[in-house]
Amino acid sequence: MQTDAFLTVQQHIQEEQRRVNPHASGEFSWLLSGITLATKVVAAQIRRAGLVDVIGSAGTTNVQGETVQKLDILANQALLSCLGNRGNVGLLASEEDEEPTVTLRDPRYGKYIVVFDPLDGSSNIDVNVSVGTIFSILRRDINGHAERSPEADVLQPGIQQVAAGYVLYGAATLFVYSTGNGVHGFTLDPLIGAYVLTHPNLTMPESGPYYSVNEANSASFPPGYQKYLSILREGKAGRVYSSRYVGSLVADFHRTLIKGGIFLYPPTGRYGEGKLRLMYEANPMAFLAEQSGGVATDGHGRILEIQPKSLHQRTPLAVGSRREMSLLAEVLQSAPAG
Ligand code: FDP
């Protein structure tokens, strides 16, 4: 490691804040340090999976009707407790919980909202495949908050995110985030327990060699998506594509960010609105995609402009490099409605 370039995520956040606002109070970096701390706790548990009793189902289902894994619960608790006492977080909305947790009712103090998916891709835990944590940070509107429910405070379009990011628990543990000024990646150095800047200014390639989709569902995709995939498979899009699908959004998105290409979770017979959650998964990934030069849509329009109607709303998601995304838009526009 080059010591002259040594920069931890904490220093990076503080520098970013000072650059935007020289009088920044440091509050925002204090909030983000709650997320980094929680994800180090999760990473430590994942690294010991199999050695300690964290693998397997907890024997319950969540608000989405999905089986809850022991690590889902642990990761959720880590985030709730590390963020709940930051002093500036008013609301916490977890993918695992039906309602948001109110930590500070008064938005003058609890001015931030953190929306998170504590452990994404959790069906991969048992087989030692990468999983992730996804987060999105919003500001609370001070005006008229007394008349609004906590849920109404959270229901903001993705364009209003002040920051978003994820942690990928893979071969290494990576923290990737954006505050609207590019996308930056940090690797957890287990020897010092700190996230160190390893991927400054990540840019999604203009085009890439991979498409990523659960092809087992393709018979029930709307016709436009089927046509698009056959164009890629048949080499009619100007290059030869390979398919890659981990089944953990964070891992599939991270590959798309680094190598380029496209990730798709279209509407299916089982999930008519797509499977992924707008607020917990699609919005943060769309924010990062756009910040790195990529594109994210629901097949019709920009993900970040969707006004959410409910916390756990699902959406189709297509995200990736400009070239693959513009071909998708063209094909979907000319295809009959599914
Ligand atoms: P999981 O169900 O394992 O938690 O939305 C959750 C998610 O994983 C994403 O991480 C992943 O991209 C997707 O679901 C995988 O769904 P399929 O198994 O239907 O492909």
PDB file of all heavy atoms in Angstrom, residues 254-269:
ATOM      1  N   HIS A 254     -21.900  -4.365  -8.893  1.00  0.00           N
ATOM      2  CA  HIS A 254     -20.486  -3.976  -8.793  1.00  0.00           C
ATOM      3  C   HIS A 254     -19.708  -4.402 -10.046  1.00  0.00           C
ATOM      4  O   HIS A 254     -18.907  -3.647 -10.578  1.00  0.00           O
ATOM      5  CB  HIS A 254     -19.869  -4.574  -7.533  1.00  0.00           C
ATOM      6  CG  HIS A 254     -18.490  -4.065  -7.269  1.00  0.00           C
ATOM      7  ND1 HIS A 254     -18.237  -2.767  -6.893  1.00  0.00           N
ATOM      8  CD2 HIS A 254     -17.276  -4.662  -7.380  1.00  0.00           C
ATOM      9  CE1 HIS A 254     -16.931  -2.587  -6.761  1.00  0.00           C
ATOM     10  NE2 HIS A 254     -16.323  -3.724  -7.051  1.00  0.00           N
ATOM     11  N   ARG A 255     -19.988  -5.616 -10.519  1.00  0.00           N
ATOM     12  CA  ARG A 255     -19.316  -6.057 -11.745  1.00  0.00           C
ATOM     13  C   ARG A 255     -19.691  -5.148 -12.911  1.00  0.00           C
ATOM     14  O   ARG A 255     -18.845  -4.756 -13.718  1.00  0.00           O
ATOM     15  CB  ARG A 255     -19.681  -7.514 -12.061  1.00  0.00           C
ATOM     16  CG  ARG A 255     -18.917  -8.081 -13.251  1.00  0.00           C
ATOM     17  CD  ARG A 255     -19.550  -9.344 -13.796  1.00  0.00           C
ATOM     18  NE  ARG A 255     -20.963  -9.152 -14.001  1.00  0.00           N
ATOM     19  CZ  ARG A 255     -21.909  -9.660 -13.213  1.00  0.00           C
ATOM     20  NH1 ARG A 255     -21.613 -10.441 -12.208  1.00  0.00           N
ATOM     21  NH2 ARG A 255     -23.187  -9.405 -13.453  1.00  0.00           N
ATOM     22  N   THR A 256     -20.969  -4.799 -12.982  1.00  0.00           N
ATOM     23  CA  THR A 256     -21.427  -3.937 -14.080  1.00  0.00           C
ATOM     24  C   THR A 256     -20.752  -2.563 -13.990  1.00  0.00           C
ATOM     25  O   THR A 256     -20.360  -1.984 -15.010  1.00  0.00           O
ATOM     26  CB  THR A 256     -22.971  -3.798 -14.023  1.00  0.00           C
ATOM     27  OG1 THR A 256     -23.531  -5.111 -13.942  1.00  0.00           O
ATOM     28  CG2 THR A 256     -23.516  -3.098 -15.252  1.00  0.00           C
ATOM     29  N   LEU A 257     -20.596  -2.063 -12.781  1.00  0.00           N
ATOM     30  CA  LEU A 257     -19.933  -0.765 -12.588  1.00  0.00           C
ATOM     31  C   LEU A 257     -18.471  -0.807 -13.057  1.00  0.00           C
ATOM     32  O   LEU A 257     -17.990   0.092 -13.745  1.00  0.00           O
ATOM     33  CB  LEU A 257     -20.011  -0.389 -11.095  1.00  0.00           C
ATOM     34  CG  LEU A 257     -19.195   0.805 -10.594  1.00  0.00           C
ATOM     35  CD1 LEU A 257     -19.612   2.087 -11.301  1.00  0.00           C
ATOM     36  CD2 LEU A 257     -19.383   0.983  -9.092  1.00  0.00           C
ATOM     37  N   ILE A 258     -17.785  -1.874 -12.720  1.00  0.00           N
ATOM     38  CA  ILE A 258     -16.354  -1.954 -13.027  1.00  0.00           C
ATOM     39  C   ILE A 258     -16.106  -2.367 -14.489  1.00  0.00           C
ATOM     40  O   ILE A 258     -15.263  -1.796 -15.169  1.00  0.00           O
ATOM     41  CB  ILE A 258     -15.650  -2.989 -12.102  1.00  0.00           C
ATOM     42  CG1 ILE A 258     -15.884  -2.634 -10.637  1.00  0.00           C
ATOM     43  CG2 ILE A 258     -14.162  -3.132 -12.429  1.00  0.00           C
ATOM     44  CD1 ILE A 258     -15.152  -1.444 -10.118  1.00  0.00           C
ATOM     45  N   LYS A 259     -16.863  -3.366 -14.959  1.00  0.00           N
ATOM     46  CA  LYS A 259     -16.577  -3.922 -16.292  1.00  0.00           C
ATOM     47  C   LYS A 259     -17.492  -3.381 -17.383  1.00  0.00           C
ATOM     48  O   LYS A 259     -17.215  -3.548 -18.563  1.00  0.00           O
ATOM     49  CB  LYS A 259     -16.760  -5.459 -16.270  1.00  0.00           C
ATOM     50  CG  LYS A 259     -15.890  -6.176 -15.257  1.00  0.00           C
ATOM     51  CD  LYS A 259     -14.526  -6.450 -15.810  1.00  0.00           C
ATOM     52  CE  LYS A 259     -13.738  -7.359 -14.914  1.00  0.00           C
ATOM     53  NZ  LYS A 259     -12.323  -7.377 -15.263  1.00  0.00           N
ATOM     54  N   GLY A 260     -18.638  -2.822 -16.981  1.00  0.00           N
ATOM     55  CA  GLY A 260     -19.617  -2.355 -17.965  1.00  0.00           C
ATOM     56  C   GLY A 260     -20.528  -3.474 -18.412  1.00  0.00           C
ATOM     57  O   GLY A 260     -20.345  -4.638 -18.050  1.00  0.00           O
ATOM     58  N   GLY A 261     -21.555  -3.108 -19.202  1.00  0.00           N
ATOM     59  CA  GLY A 261     -22.561  -4.078 -19.629  1.00  0.00           C
ATOM     60  C   GLY A 261     -23.894  -3.679 -19.041  1.00  0.00           C
ATOM     61  O   GLY A 261     -24.170  -2.496 -18.834  1.00  0.00           O
ATOM     62  N   ILE A 262     -24.714  -4.673 -18.746  1.00  0.00           N
ATOM     63  CA  ILE A 262     -26.067  -4.362 -18.274  1.00  0.00           C
ATOM     64  C   ILE A 262     -26.544  -5.390 -17.261  1.00  0.00           C
ATOM     65  O   ILE A 262     -26.235  -6.580 -17.378  1.00  0.00           O
ATOM     66  CB  ILE A 262     -27.049  -4.261 -19.475  1.00  0.00           C
ATOM     67  CG1 ILE A 262     -28.410  -3.708 -19.033  1.00  0.00           C
ATOM     68  CG2 ILE A 262     -27.197  -5.591 -20.203  1.00  0.00           C
ATOM     69  CD1 ILE A 262     -29.289  -3.254 -20.193  1.00  0.00           C
ATOM     70  N   PHE A 263     -27.280  -4.911 -16.254  1.00  0.00           N
ATOM     71  CA  PHE A 263     -27.970  -5.784 -15.301  1.00  0.00           C
ATOM     72  C   PHE A 263     -29.463  -5.545 -15.467  1.00  0.00           C
ATOM     73  O   PHE A 263     -29.908  -4.393 -15.544  1.00  0.00           O
ATOM     74  CB  PHE A 263     -27.565  -5.466 -13.856  1.00  0.00           C
ATOM     75  CG  PHE A 263     -28.435  -6.171 -12.850  1.00  0.00           C
ATOM     76  CD1 PHE A 263     -28.130  -7.456 -12.429  1.00  0.00           C
ATOM     77  CD2 PHE A 263     -29.590  -5.570 -12.355  1.00  0.00           C
ATOM     78  CE1 PHE A 263     -28.967  -8.139 -11.539  1.00  0.00           C
ATOM     79  CE2 PHE A 263     -30.425  -6.244 -11.456  1.00  0.00           C
ATOM     80  CZ  PHE A 263     -30.105  -7.525 -11.050  1.00  0.00           C
ATOM     81  N   LEU A 264     -30.233  -6.628 -15.511  1.00  0.00           N
ATOM     82  CA  LEU A 264     -31.683  -6.499 -15.710  1.00  0.00           C
ATOM     83  C   LEU A 264     -32.457  -7.330 -14.694  1.00  0.00           C
ATOM     84  O   LEU A 264     -32.107  -8.496 -14.464  1.00  0.00           O
ATOM     85  CB  LEU A 264     -32.068  -7.053 -17.087  1.00  0.00           C
ATOM     86  CG  LEU A 264     -31.507  -6.380 -18.325  1.00  0.00           C
ATOM     87  CD1 LEU A 264     -31.565  -7.338 -19.505  1.00  0.00           C
ATOM     88  CD2 LEU A 264     -32.306  -5.124 -18.643  1.00  0.00           C
ATOM     89  N   TYR A 265     -33.481  -6.738 -14.093  1.00  0.00           N
ATOM     90  CA  TYR A 265     -34.496  -7.548 -13.409  1.00  0.00           C
ATOM     91  C   TYR A 265     -35.845  -7.038 -13.900  1.00  0.00           C
ATOM     92  O   TYR A 265     -36.457  -6.154 -13.327  1.00  0.00           O
ATOM     93  CB  TYR A 265     -34.395  -7.518 -11.874  1.00  0.00           C
ATOM     94  CG  TYR A 265     -34.937  -8.826 -11.320  1.00  0.00           C
ATOM     95  CD1 TYR A 265     -34.108  -9.732 -10.678  1.00  0.00           C
ATOM     96  CD2 TYR A 265     -36.269  -9.177 -11.508  1.00  0.00           C
ATOM     97  CE1 TYR A 265     -34.595 -10.961 -10.230  1.00  0.00           C
ATOM     98  CE2 TYR A 265     -36.766 -10.399 -11.068  1.00  0.00           C
ATOM     99  CZ  TYR A 265     -35.922 -11.287 -10.435  1.00  0.00           C
ATOM    100  OH  TYR A 265     -36.413 -12.492 -10.009  1.00  0.00           O
ATOM    101  N   PRO A 266     -36.309  -7.612 -15.048  1.00  0.00           N
ATOM    102  CA  PRO A 266     -37.559  -7.150 -15.662  1.00  0.00           C
ATOM    103  C   PRO A 266     -38.780  -7.664 -14.891  1.00  0.00           C
ATOM    104  O   PRO A 266     -38.644  -8.492 -13.990  1.00  0.00           O
ATOM    105  CB  PRO A 266     -37.521  -7.801 -17.052  1.00  0.00           C
ATOM    106  CG  PRO A 266     -36.181  -8.427 -17.201  1.00  0.00           C
ATOM    107  CD  PRO A 266     -35.657  -8.667 -15.826  1.00  0.00           C
ATOM    108  N   PRO A 267     -39.982  -7.221 -15.282  1.00  0.00           N
ATOM    109  CA  PRO A 267     -41.194  -7.841 -14.741  1.00  0.00           C
ATOM    110  C   PRO A 267     -41.186  -9.324 -15.128  1.00  0.00           C
ATOM    111  O   PRO A 267     -40.717  -9.676 -16.216  1.00  0.00           O
ATOM    112  CB  PRO A 267     -42.329  -7.113 -15.473  1.00  0.00           C
ATOM    113  CG  PRO A 267     -41.723  -5.876 -16.037  1.00  0.00           C
ATOM    114  CD  PRO A 267     -40.278  -6.164 -16.260  1.00  0.00           C
ATOM    115  N   THR A 268     -41.705 -10.160 -14.257  1.00  0.00           N
ATOM    116  CA  THR A 268     -41.772 -11.597 -14.559  1.00  0.00           C
ATOM    117  C   THR A 268     -43.187 -12.086 -14.247  1.00  0.00           C
ATOM    118  O   THR A 268     -43.989 -11.350 -13.647  1.00  0.00           O
ATOM    119  CB  THR A 268     -40.796 -12.408 -13.676  1.00  0.00           C
ATOM    120  OG1 THR A 268     -41.237 -12.310 -12.315  1.00  0.00           O
ATOM    121  CG2 THR A 268     -39.376 -11.915 -13.783  1.00  0.00           C
ATOM    122  N   GLY A 269     -43.461 -13.325 -14.589  1.00  0.00           N
ATOM    123  CA  GLY A 269     -44.765 -13.899 -14.274  1.00  0.00           C
ATOM    124  C   GLY A 269     -45.021 -13.852 -12.774  1.00  0.00           C
ATOM    125  O   GLY A 269     -46.116 -13.553 -12.309  1.00  0.00           O
TER     126      GLY A 269
END
